[in-house]
Amino acid sequence: MKTLSIIFYIIGSILLIISCFTTSVTATWWLGGIAVVALIVGCVFQFNSNNSKQVNYHHHDYE
């Protein structure tokens, strides 16, 4: 999951940079939208990779 998050961060960043240099307004919006989606997916994968490593210990008090 961590590798996927890094890949999507890189893809999103590259698409966002490319969208800044396009001359077509439609292409700019499409590339920017896809970049935002890729960055959000990267965040989701990072969140899931951090949660999968979390260990919850439940302490039960028995009387």
Side-chain angles (χ1 to χ4, degrees), residues 27-51:
T28 301
W29 277 97
W30 275 103
L31 288 173
I34 295 170
V36 169
V37 169
L39 291 171
I40 290 172
V41 170
C43 289
V44 170
F45 282 141
Q46 183 179 8
F47 179 77
N48 286 336
S49 70
N50 288 341
N51 276 349

Side-chain angles (χ1 to χ4, degrees), residues 1-14 38 42:
M1 286 287 202
K2 194 169 201 166
T3 305
L4 282 175
S5 68
I6 293 171
I7 291 170
F8 275 98
Y9 281 143
I10 291 171
I11 291 171
S13 299
I14 290 171

